[in-house]
Amino acid sequence: MARALLGARLVRVRNDASRLSGIIVETEAYLGVKDRACHSFGGRRTPRVEAMYGKPGLAYVFFTYGMHHCFNVVCGREGEPVAVLVRALEPVEGLDAMRRLRGRKCGDRELCSGPARLCMALGITLRDNGVDLVSDPNLFIEHDSTRTVPADCVVAGPRIGVQYAAQGGWSEAPLRFYVGGNPHVSARG
DNA sequence: TGCGTGATATTCT
DNA sequence: GAATATCACGCAG
């Protein structure tokens, strides 16, 4: 799923019906109860991670570092807490509105290149935790199957910021995927 | 390169 | 309940 989401478009429709969107260019897979870096490692099931146990297609949004949100797509069967973190978008629609939401001067390259940046740019918060991306009118994913990313453009590598999960090889496992050469992938790595 | 920042998990009483 | 440790990061310098 982490590979498959590359090239898909994450869309936010605002209350005034305007659209903010971008092409997913960087993702990370979190493999559930066996994965030390995953919030559901060992079967942890707390209010925070509850959405991850829901049906595939739900959003799992969490808050971290006292100031940042991260957006994930739940993709295991119901009861199987597996998700894909979306780490970067290539912005397509609503760039000026995104710049306002980011609250600082930034070029196209800085707008959505990072998991917390794209949440800011699309106005994703804990209010979006648990929404059904399949049916929600304000937050969803569009996939144009005629414009998929060729397999030989996809680069795999270690996930970012999961050194704490080294035991068992989970920090080095090649579970981060990005579109090679795309200038909108996040800076680290 | 070093912080800020606050929710959560974890561990203690 | 309360204390403490930790964190899927971004920014100013």
Side-chain angles (χ1 to χ4, degrees), chain A residues 22-142:
Chain A
I23 304 294
I24 298 172
V25 296
E26 180 180 356
T27 59
E28 283 178 1
Y30 285 86
L31 301 186
V33 299
K34 64 183 177 184
D35 179 354
R36 290 195 93 81
C38 186
H39 288 164
S40 59
F41 173 68
R44 278 205 310 274
R45 185 162 188 166
T46 61
R48 178 177 66 150
V49 303
E50 187 58 31
M52 232 177 152
Y53 285 82
K55 59 182 177 179
L58 296 190
Y60 168 46
V61 180
F62 64 90
F63 185 67
T64 191
Y65 291 106
M67 57 184 89
H68 297 307
H69 296 276
C70 292
F71 170 81
N72 302 251
V73 179
V74 175
C75 52
R77 284 188 293 276
E78 192 156 3
E80 183 187 16
V82 172
V84 171
L85 169 70
V86 178
R87 289 194 52 90
L89 305 176
E90 175 173 334
V92 176
E93 295 173 283
L95 274 68
D96 286 337
M98 288 186 194
R99 264 186 271 274
R100 285 193 291 275
L101 283 162
R102 292 274 280 114
R104 66 186 52 254
K105 275 205 158 194
C106 52
D108 300 359
R109 240 108 287 143
E110 290 84 54
L111 224 40
C112 301
S113 53
R117 289 177 177 180
L118 72 89
C119 284
M120 271 185 259
L122 298 197
I124 294 172
T125 67
L126 285 177
R127 288 179 21 217
D128 299 295
N129 187 37
V131 309
D132 186 351
L133 299 166
V134 176
S135 61
D136 194 272
N138 297 113
L139 187 64
F140 52 90
I141 291 170
E142 288 178 346

